[in-house]
Structures are given as C-alpha cells and as structure tokens.
Amino acid sequence: MRSRRRHRPLLVPVLLCAVAVLVARPTPATGDADSSGGAGAEVVRLYEEASRATQRYESGRREAEAQRGRAQRLERLLARERQGIAVLHGDLGRIARAQYRNGGGLPHTARMLLADSPDELMRGQRAVRQVDLAVRNAVTRSRRAETRFTADEAKAAAAWQALERRNGDLAEIKRGIEWKLEKAQRTLQGQADASAAAGSCRGSVRLEQPRTAFTQPWIPPVETYELSAGFGSGGKRWAHRHTGQDFAVDIGTPVRSVGEGRVVKVSCGGPFGIEVVVEHPGGYYTQYAHLADVTVDQGERVSAGQWVGQSGTTGNSTGPHLHFEVRLTLQVGSGVDPRKWFAERGVQL
C-alpha cells in the first residue's frame, strides 16, 4: 500500500474533508464537529492556490515556448535580411564601378561636348538618370533593411527578457505555495496520527464543497490518482492478500463517496487508521481507509461525489495513499475486486 509519491504530511485536525472538491454541500456538523476547517481547510485552500499557480506557470511556459518559436523564426528572417543587405551593398559597388567606367561622374557640359550626336547625348542622359535612380533606390532599401533589422532584433530581445522575468516570478510564487502546502500537510498528518494512536476520532470537519452534479451514479473515490497495490496482491505488508485497491495520492487529497449511500462506520485506530465505510443500495459497502480526517458523521446520508474525508497515511501504511475496498458485508474479508466492480458499472480505473 505504498504510494510512489514522496511522503508529505498534512494538517490532520478538522480538515481532511477540505481537500476533496466534489458534489453537494455537506450537512451541518454534529457533536464536536469542527466547522472552522482548521488545518484541513488550509490544506484545501493551498491545494487550490497551488493548482492556480501551476496553471499560470504552465501558461507562461507555453507562451515562452511560443515566443521562442517566434524568436527563432525572426532570427531566420533577420539572417535573410542580412543576406539582402550584403547583396545591396554589392549592387552599390557594381553600380559605382559602372558609373566610373561609363563616365557617370562627368559634368553635364563635358558630356555634351563629347557626344557625337543629339541622340547619343539623350541616351547618355537617360542612362545616367537610370543609374542615379538605381543607386538612390539601393541606398534607401539598404538603410530601411538595416533599420528594420535593428528594431526587430531589439524587439525580440525585449520580449524574451520579459518572458524570462515573468516565468521566474511565477516559479518563485509556485515554490512558496508548495512550501506552505507541505507545512500544512505535516500539521494535518500529525494531528491524524495523534487521533489514530488514541483510537478516538475528532469530530467531522465541515468544509464548503463545490456544487458538482454527477450524471453517472458511480465515480472513482478520488479525482486525480495513480493506481498502486491492487486487489489480491501478495507481499509481506499483508497477512494474506491485499483486500482492496490503493490510490496513490498526496496527504490531504479530497476523498469522495463513489455513490449515494449511508455512512455506517467512522473509526480511528487499528490497521486501517482513520476510516469511513459507506453502505450503498444493492447491498455493497465501500471502505475509505488510512485517512487523515473525515468530513461526515456516522449515520449521515451521502451522495455520489460528496467528500467523506481527506487522504493520509494513518494505520498500517507506509506512505500517503487511499486504501479503497468494496465489500459484500460490513466485515473485513468479504471484499471483491474494486476494478472489476467499477468496470461492471461503466467506470474504468
């Protein structure tokens, strides 16, 4: 039941329920339930803040990649402009040499004296005007190209530097949020460990959940995950065979009910640590174990997607993850393969 992710403890107290963002708003807290959210609420808030920061950073990274592509295209364009400028300079040299050979620099009076006929004089004048015009045009094009080259080069450099600064700022913000999140996770897990060791659960945490309506009756117990140990796996960590499906998730991740039902068990301590069991119509039970906190009370009715707790690493656990079981009865040992059970209901894990 080991998660492949680095262990990052969370805020255990009244907040495990805060990390999950799914369907309906939970019912009012009862007993000694903590309605303030506490560490769990802080974890949830930081998860959302980290998600937004990551999205901004990734957007900036994609924009930087696009700008890099534009800069590379501009470099190719500038290389062609440099070649064009070199060609223009060559043209100027050839024109100047041609003028020198053809007497382009002679005064107008001298040309008239040397001309053999009026026609020759007119042709010479037209040729000189054409050469002069070509020279002026070539000089103008060369200056424009050089000006455009300088402006484009400065623009590309400024745009790239601005993106580099922006991405650096975003990365720093992201690191700051992640540091706060790790601190909150350590606090949350520490509180969970204390509850599990005492065998006494704190009151359920009441956090405001997003109003998400699921069209399908069954959903996975966590929104984003990687599967780790599966049903029936062997290993020295279990007395016999693994009785459920593990989902590798970080501490404080929202855990949701896979379908509508009624909470029939909320307990702390023992091999499963902090756990919640939900009874569903049709006689099946689902278990959510190794939690850091719970967000429901025993006897409460829940809907598909409603948060029932936050993931952790309490009980017989070697790292943060959710241990999930589907059972035929409330008792341990009546489990069925969760992946097959979900597949029969149209959900592929």
Side-chain angles (χ1 to χ4, degrees):
M1 297 188 288
R2 190 180 191 86
S3 166
R4 73 169 187 83
R5 300 191 179 183
R6 179 165 62 87
H7 179 79
R8 294 190 300 178
L10 280 171
L11 309 171
V12 170
V14 184
L15 301 157
L16 281 187
C17 187
V19 170
V21 175
L22 282 175
V23 140
R25 175 175 317 215
T27 59
T30 58
D32 60 347
D34 183 345
S35 61
S36 66
E42 177 69 1
V43 171
V44 173
R45 185 188 68 78
L46 288 170
Y47 264 126
E48 295 173 347
E49 191 174 339
S51 176
R52 289 192 296 269
T54 299
Q55 290 172 1
R56 290 196 301 271
Y57 177 79
E58 288 301 312
S59 176
R61 185 188 59 79
R62 288 191 297 269
E63 186 176 343
E65 288 296 324
Q67 178 61 31
R68 180 181 290 111
R70 289 193 292 269
Q72 290 171 343
R73 289 192 297 273
L74 181 56
E75 281 299 323
R76 291 192 293 268
L77 175 61
L78 296 180
R80 289 197 297 269
E81 288 184 351
R82 292 188 189 101
Q83 293 174 352
I85 291 172
V87 170
L88 288 176
H89 286 166
D91 289 344
L92 291 177
R94 285 192 296 273
I95 291 170
R97 289 192 296 272
Q99 281 187 299
Y100 177 78
R101 287 195 300 269
N102 297 329
L106 290 176
H108 181 68
T109 303
R111 291 181 201 142
M112 292 178 64
L113 293 173
L114 294 175
D116 294 333
S117 67
D119 289 339
E120 183 182 347
L121 177 61
M122 295 299 295
R123 286 195 299 272
Q125 289 178 327
R126 283 197 299 272
V128 169
R129 284 196 298 270
Q130 290 172 352
V131 169
D132 288 341
L133 180 60
V135 169
R136 287 196 296 272
N137 289 341
V139 170
T140 299
R141 288 198 302 273
S142 177
R143 289 175 177 171
R144 286 176 178 172
E146 289 174 348
T147 301
R148 191 166 58 250
F149 167 79
T150 302
D152 289 347
E153 199 168 41
K155 181 180 178 182
W160 182 252
Q161 291 170 3
L163 278 171
E164 286 293 296
R165 288 193 299 271
R166 175 190 175 191
N167 287 348
D169 292 342
L170 288 173
E172 186 64 27
I173 292 172
K174 188 170 179 285
R175 284 191 294 269
I177 295 172
E178 288 173 346
W179 180 84
K180 293 178 183 178
L181 178 58
E182 289 180 0
K183 182 179 178 181
Q185 287 175 321
R186 287 193 296 270
T187 301
L188 179 59
Q189 186 60 45
Q191 293 171 341
D193 290 339
S195 294
S200 175
C201 294
R202 299 169 65 89
S204 62
V205 178
R206 296 299 170 172
L207 302 173
E208 178 141 355
Q209 304 183 38
R211 296 183 179 276
T212 305
F214 290 95
T215 57
Q216 63 273 36
W218 303 101
I219 60 171
V222 286
E223 184 175 3
T224 303
Y225 57 87
E226 289 186 14
L227 299 178
S228 48
F231 180 79
S233 300
K236 59 184 179 181
R237 295 192 299 272
W238 309 293
H240 300 289
R241 291 282 179 176
H242 192 221
T243 56
Q245 173 65 58
D246 287 350
F247 294 78
V249 290
D250 285 338
I251 292 172
T253 298
V255 175
R256 55 199 190 183
S257 177
V258 300
E260 67 173 344
R262 182 173 62 90
V263 178
V264 293
K265 183 180 182 182
V266 175
S267 67
C268 299
F272 290 116
I274 299 175
E275 63 170 319
V276 171
V277 179
V278 176
E279 180 183 11
H280 303 280
Y284 286 100
Y285 297 79
T286 56
Q287 179 201 34
Y288 312 82
H290 304 313
L291 300 176
D293 208 348
V294 296
T295 58
V296 291
D297 294 310
Q298 189 164 315
E300 181 179 336
R301 297 205 63 82
V302 294
S303 57
Q306 181 174 333
W307 297 348
V308 296
Q310 287 175 278
S311 63
T313 180
T314 54
N316 183 18
S317 170
T318 56
H321 71 286
L322 169 68
H323 175 81
F324 174 80
E325 289 192 19
V326 178
R327 299 175 183 168
L328 298 175
T329 69
L330 182 61
Q331 288 71 34
V332 178
S334 62
V336 298
D337 188 341
R339 297 188 70 173
K340 292 181 180 179
W341 185 83
F342 272 118
E344 290 170 356
R345 288 155 180 78
V347 178
Q348 297 297 325
L349 297 182

